[in-house]
Amino acid sequence: MLDDHLIGVLSNMGMISFIALSAYLVLVVGEISFGQQAFFAISAYASGIASAMWGWPFLGAVLWGAAIAGLAGLLLAIPTLRIRGLYFAIATLAFAEMVRLALEIFTYRVEVDGELVGPDGSEGFRDIRYIYEADISAGAFLLVILALLAVTLGAILWIERTRLGAVMRMVGEDPVLARLQGVNVNLTKIATVAAAGLIAGIGGALYAHLNTYVEPKIFNVMLGVHGLAYGLIGGLGTAFGPLLGVALDIGVLESTRAFSGYRMIVFGGLVAVLLIVRPRGLLDEAAVYRIRRFLLRKDAGD
Amino acid sequence: MLELRNLSKHFGGVRAVDDLSLTVNQGEIFGLIGPNGSGKSTTVNLVCGVFPTTSGAVLFEGRDITDAPSHRVVAAGIARTFQNIRLFGDLTVWQNLWVAQNSAEERSKGWFGRWLGGDRTGRGDAEELLKFAGLELRSGELARNLAFGEQRRLEMARALAARPKLLLLDEPAAGMNAEEVSQLATRIRALRKYGMTILLVEHVMELVMGVTDRIAVLNFGQKIAEGTPAEIRDDPAVRTAYLGTADA
């Protein structure tokens, strides 16, 4: 079957895809967030606490972590509602650094089966032992990741076909005009940022349980920047765009030996070139439209 | 139906709209004309809540909607078009109409029915509007790929998709040739038959004179004349504003 290296790469791609989808949703409503790693971190800790310290079942812990991350998204969105563009981007960056630094001093330890477990400041949060205790193989965990990713992707793709999806694109393209079509722009943005927090949270919870330990320095700004760049590379026309970005970066650049050492140079260059020639990524709205039309034509049989 | 009371908007020292009062009656086509920079578009923007008023009030059906957020103004029954075309280029033609649908019936569907109802709900209305705008064959095209005249027609259809009681047309004939202007006049007259009230902001005189019931003339943000098209044509103050004084 799959070798360990490949399972590791695919698991990593799956988990990072949640951050990419999260940053993508915020991009669709016209804002740039450098802070989606904060929601990943919040959920990693919250779900770890639930499963390792409170003895919750795994799926409950994941949902709990995601819900807390979504709530954090809501709390971030309400005060940042009135600022836009560059200022929103800076606010998200500041928020994420705040969360990371708070985790550096966050200590909450309880005794479980005679051992102290729980977050220990900058030492991190060790012994999130769920996958050992339940004896889950890396391959089985990969299936869990892919299943949750499929559900998330399916939900986003469905929303994109509804009027709500069209409204989100309207808000991103021209908020003044959207308001003049009767859209409550602020509410749309708050709901989107909260949903984006929840989605990043699913990834964070999976990350904590697969790696069995997390520490604050993992959730630095580069994680958020990558998540953001995946949508910008892969395209903002469809939720498949950010996944394409993840596949290109982690699947090709990081995981094959050919680019070793040059990964960040190639990746940075790719972002720079695409921002000039295709500012909304490879699968931008126009590309998605052409693909959809091509597929429909084949269905119609002419 | 729409009443502006001593409406003013100052941008720094510039009085874009200055103490403007006027009333548009139910079922009327009201023209708002004036030279460039006389405050016509600013007036439309104030009614729609695009930016805050400096002083004065906007009343719609007797209710005060001064400085209400734009989406509330739309919900109250006012829709508009733009002087420089503003469509959602990344949405298709019918999606542009679909997202603008805002009738009372549409709003009564509840949150789930309205926003997550998939891409089939409400299409019947959109088909009718596409026909009205002569765009039924372009329904699946991205709005940005339309020709200029088609985009103008789509803008008007989109404003109608909201099922407004009052329609604000901001220079709908800008950039149109004579043929297109006469088609536009036919469309505007057709709307009157449906009982729509229209505030028409326009430069193109043949259109304004041809379709409106009453006209107000703005100059430097102030109303300098109001009356029927025939009265306005003969008004000396209007002639001065447009053509300058004899000795200038």
Side-chain angles (χ1 to χ4, degrees), chain B residues 8-17 52 54:
Chain B
S8 292
K9 176 67 187 178
H10 300 172
F11 294 106
V14 181
R15 298 177 170 204
V17 174
T54 305

Side-chain angles (χ1 to χ4, degrees), chain B residues 223-246:
Chain B
K223 185 166 78 176
I224 57 169
E226 184 174 342
T228 64
E231 286 163 6
I232 293 297
R233 200 173 322 210
D234 299 329
D235 191 300
V238 177
R239 286 174 172 255
T240 311
Y242 270 88
L243 304 171
T245 51

Side-chain angles (χ1 to χ4, degrees), chain A residues 158-159 161-164 166-167 170 173-174 176-184 280 285-286 289 293, chain B residues 48 50 70-71 74 82 86-91 98-102 106 114-116 119 140-142 158:
Chain A
W158 173 64
I159 296 252
R161 287 185 61 79
T162 67
R163 186 160 144 162
L164 182 63
V167 162
M170 284 165 80
E173 197 176 327
D174 189 341
V176 175
L177 183 55
R179 217 170 259 134
L180 285 163
Q181 310 307 317
V183 172
N184 189 332
R280 291 181 72 80
E285 282 86 349
Y289 170 73
R293 209 152 80 153
Chain B
C48 293
V50 174
S70 299
H71 62 269
V74 176
F82 295 84
R86 281 172 91 166
L87 292 164
F88 295 105
D90 288 331
L91 298 182
W98 178 48
V99 293
Q101 287 174 350
N102 214 337
E106 185 68 34
R114 186 147 180 238
W115 300 108
L116 301 177
D119 55 6
E141 191 67 58
L142 284 187
R158 184 184 59 189

Side-chain angles (χ1 to χ4, degrees), chain B residues 6-65:
Chain B
N6 309 103
L7 195 64
S8 292
K9 176 67 187 178
H10 300 172
F11 294 106
V14 181
R15 298 177 170 204
V17 174
D18 193 10
D19 202 27
L20 174 67
S21 295
L22 57 85
T23 304
V24 180
N25 299 317
Q26 168 87 44
E28 187 174 49
I29 299 186
F30 192 95
L32 191 59
I33 64 171
N36 272 329
S38 58
K40 306 183 296 290
S41 290
T42 306
T43 306
V44 171
N45 284 331
L46 289 176
V47 171
C48 293
V50 174
F51 37 61
T53 55
T54 305
S55 64
V58 181
L59 283 85
F60 181 65
E61 295 186 310
R63 277 195 296 150
D64 190 349
I65 57 161

Side-chain angles (χ1 to χ4, degrees), chain A residues 3-284:
Chain A
D3 66 44
D4 290 347
H5 175 69
L6 191 56
I7 290 175
V9 169
L10 289 175
S11 298
N12 203 11
M13 281 171 60
M15 291 181 302
I16 296 302
S17 291
F18 286 99
I19 287 209
L21 285 171
S22 153
Y24 160 81
L25 282 181
V26 181
L27 284 168
V28 166
V29 294
E31 298 293 350
I32 289 176
S33 167
F34 287 109
Q36 296 311 105
Q37 71 276 19
F39 305 114
F40 198 80
I42 287 169
S43 173
Y45 273 78
S47 66
I49 288 170
S51 79
M53 298 166 72
W54 301 344
W56 285 27
F58 170 67
L59 206 60
V62 171
L63 293 178
W64 160 255
I68 293 290
L71 187 67
L74 189 68
L75 292 178
L76 173 68
I78 291 170
T80 52
L81 168 78
R82 290 189 171 276
I83 53 177
R84 303 187 30 75
L86 188 56
Y87 302 99
F88 179 84
I90 293 168
T92 55
L93 178 59
F95 169 74
E97 284 298 282
M98 216 173 75
V99 167
R100 188 176 64 80
L101 293 172
L103 292 176
E104 292 271 4
I105 54 170
F106 176 54
T107 305
Y108 166 45
R109 292 168 73 76
V110 296
E111 203 169 297
V112 177
D113 301 333
E115 266 183 84
L116 270 181
V117 291
D120 186 14
S122 55
E123 288 297 303
F125 183 178
R126 287 164 205 282
D127 299 318
I128 306 170
R129 307 178 60 89
Y130 165 77
I131 60 166
Y132 294 137
E133 282 162 8
D135 196 22
I136 291 171
S137 70
F141 200 82
L142 173 62
L143 290 181
V144 173
I145 294 173
L146 293 181
L148 285 172
L149 184 61
V151 170
T152 308
L153 181 66
I156 298 177
L157 289 171
W158 173 64
I159 296 252
E160 287 189 336
R161 287 185 61 79
T162 67
R163 186 160 144 162
L164 182 63
V167 162
M168 284 167 65
R169 289 200 183 276
M170 284 165 80
V171 168
E173 197 176 327
D174 189 341
V176 175
L177 183 55
R179 217 170 259 134
L180 285 163
Q181 310 307 317
V183 172
N184 189 332
V185 170
N186 293 342
L187 194 62
T188 309
K189 281 194 175 172
I190 291 178
T192 305
V193 173
L198 189 135
I199 288 169
I202 300 174
L206 293 170
Y207 183 90
H209 286 85
L210 179 63
N211 290 289
T212 71
Y213 82 97
V214 289
E215 47 188 6
K217 70 171 183 221
I218 301 167
F219 311 109
N220 66 20
V221 65
M222 284 314 287
L223 183 61
V225 168
H226 275 96
L228 184 64
Y230 294 141
L232 292 173
I233 293 173
L236 302 179
T238 161
F240 288 113
L243 301 192
L244 176 65
V246 171
L248 284 176
D249 179 47
I250 302 184
V252 179
L253 292 182
E254 190 183 60
S255 307
T256 58
R257 305 266 147 81
F259 293 102
S260 64
Y262 299 101
R263 173 190 168 212
M264 285 316 294
I265 299 174
V266 176
F267 182 73
L270 196 61
V271 173
V273 170
L274 276 170
L275 281 177
I276 297 165
V277 299
R278 276 187 98 98
R280 291 181 72 80
L282 293 169
L283 292 171
D284 59 8

